[in-house]
Amino acid sequence: MTVVGPFGLSVRDQALETDVQAGLAAVEAGLLEATKSEVPFITEAAQHLVRAGGKRFRPLLVMLASRFGDPYAPGIVPSAVVVELTHLATLYHDDVMDEADVRRGVASANARWGNSVAVLTGDFLFARASHILADLGPEAVRIQAEAFERLVTGQILETAGPRDGRDPVEHYLDVIAGKTGSLIAVSGRFGALMSGADESVVDILTQYGERLGTAFQLADDVLDIASDSHESGKTPGTDLREGIPTLPVLRLREAAARDGNPDDLELVRLLDGDLTDDAVLADVLARLRVHPALEQARRDTIRYAQDARATLAPLPECFAKSALEELCDAVVHRAG
């Protein structure tokens, strides 16, 4: 049993481990190649987050999904590079929108070079992803375009907030299905599709990716409150400071409105106030870390991870299926 990929995923088969490691190494080389420019400064900016590392969660999912067809098919590594480039591009843009200072344990691109360079570098990565997609055929282009539309729609819905009368939690779950679930769903879909897997298998792995992606984002929501910067790679409370309505906060607001508990109402007041002061933010984080809303968000994370795992049931038993199941467990573990 060897540990590979994000969260210390255990692979229980030597051949699978060797192939996954080789695939991820090829993706890494592909990312560096795709982010090269004739302009040295563009190369430096575009490779900033590539070289900072990361879990490579989406490429790993492509590799595992490909095991249900021909895992050596030529489109698998390029499609994995596409999904990771797209993900990286969104990080450049997200950090500008969130005014984040840290990403993956290093200075964010916007903190280092300013917002304009960060946005344009994200656009550069999108362009390079599109260039690779063009060689994968019109179906791949269509799939990626649809996912990207969902991703942007999710971001816009988050910015706009829920319409009057809409349950904020339901709205938020729709937001993250678009922002995060869509691209992780594409990772499962590309891996299966490029390998020539049966259509039913492609559908299963697409649904699995969507549900796992939601669980993945919910785990991030918990980490923003519960972790230190070493664990998460970004400053704890970043989402709180930016007023992003993550699930623990929504669960807190729900409880405060329902029960009228004075401590909850006071915590909501602090969240709605100025969190630029480090001491105030630290106080809010400390209170949230012991609040039942955080535990409820953990339970929500577990539920989506269990749903993702259940989606895999029709697939044949194999080491790749076991690894996909373990990914669900790893996401839950990440949320504590």
Side-chain angles (χ1 to χ4, degrees), residues 93-100 103 158 238-239 242 244:
H93 288 180
D94 283 352
D95 286 346
V96 170
M97 294 179 67
D98 299 342
E99 300 178 359
R103 171 68 71 174
E158 180 180 72
T238 296
D239 292 338
E242 296 307 317
I244 297 171

Side-chain angles (χ1 to χ4, degrees), residues 63-316:
M63 296 300 139
L64 292 175
S66 74
R67 306 301 298 190
F68 296 90
D70 175 8
Y72 310 110
I76 291 166
V77 168
S79 67
V81 172
V82 165
V83 293
E84 189 66 11
L85 279 177
T86 304
H87 172 58
L88 288 169
T90 65
L91 297 184
Y92 281 83
H93 288 180
D94 283 352
D95 286 346
V96 170
M97 294 179 67
D98 299 342
E99 300 178 359
D101 295 324
V102 178
R103 171 68 71 174
R104 295 184 171 175
V106 300
S108 62
N110 48 295
R112 183 168 177 179
W113 294 295
N115 287 347
S116 294
V117 168
V119 169
L120 291 169
T121 302
D123 292 345
F124 176 82
L125 296 182
F126 284 131
R128 287 297 173 89
S130 298
H131 183 79
I132 297 169
L133 269 171
D135 292 331
L136 297 177
E139 177 69 0
V141 173
R142 183 186 64 78
I143 290 169
Q144 178 75 354
E146 289 175 353
F148 191 52
E149 179 183 344
R150 288 189 60 207
L151 193 157
V152 173
T153 299
Q155 184 67 68
I156 292 171
L157 286 174
E158 180 180 72
T159 303
R163 64 179 183 273
D164 289 344
R166 180 85 195 277
D167 176 60
V169 171
E170 288 183 6
H171 171 83
Y172 181 65
L173 292 172
D174 282 348
V175 164
I176 62 175
K179 278 187 60 179
T180 306
S182 60
L183 193 57
I184 294 179
V186 165
S187 301
R189 188 171 185 179
F190 273 166
L193 183 68
M194 296 296 165
S195 74
D198 290 343
E199 186 175 342
S200 61
V201 173
V202 174
D203 289 343
I204 287 169
L205 290 168
T206 303
Q207 293 172 37
Y208 165 83
E210 178 96 16
R211 293 168 187 175
L212 186 67
T214 297
F216 184 86
Q217 181 57 57
L218 295 183
D220 260 6
D221 287 359
V222 171
L223 278 173
D224 185 62
I225 294 168
S227 75
D228 58 31
S229 58
H230 175 73
E231 280 182 273
S232 63
K234 66 178 184 178
T235 305
T238 296
D239 292 338
L240 297 182
R241 182 166 270 168
E242 296 307 317
I244 297 171
T246 60
L247 190 61
V249 172
L250 292 173
R251 291 302 190 193
L252 166 68
R253 293 183 185 278
E254 193 176 57
R258 182 185 64 241
D259 303 330
N261 181 288
D263 290 340
D264 289 355
L265 293 171
E266 169 67 9
L267 186 49
V268 168
R269 185 188 68 77
L270 288 172
L271 284 166
D272 290 338
D274 184 2
L275 294 179
T276 56
D277 186 283
D278 288 344
V280 175
L281 180 63
D283 178 48
V284 169
L285 282 169
R287 295 190 192 194
L288 280 170
R289 283 168 179 164
V290 296
H291 196 281
L294 185 61
E295 184 56 36
Q296 186 172 1
R298 284 194 176 102
R299 291 197 300 270
D300 292 327
T301 304
I302 291 169
R303 176 166 55 88
Y304 273 93
Q306 288 173 338
D307 287 347
R309 187 185 185 110
T311 304
L312 298 171
L315 295 180

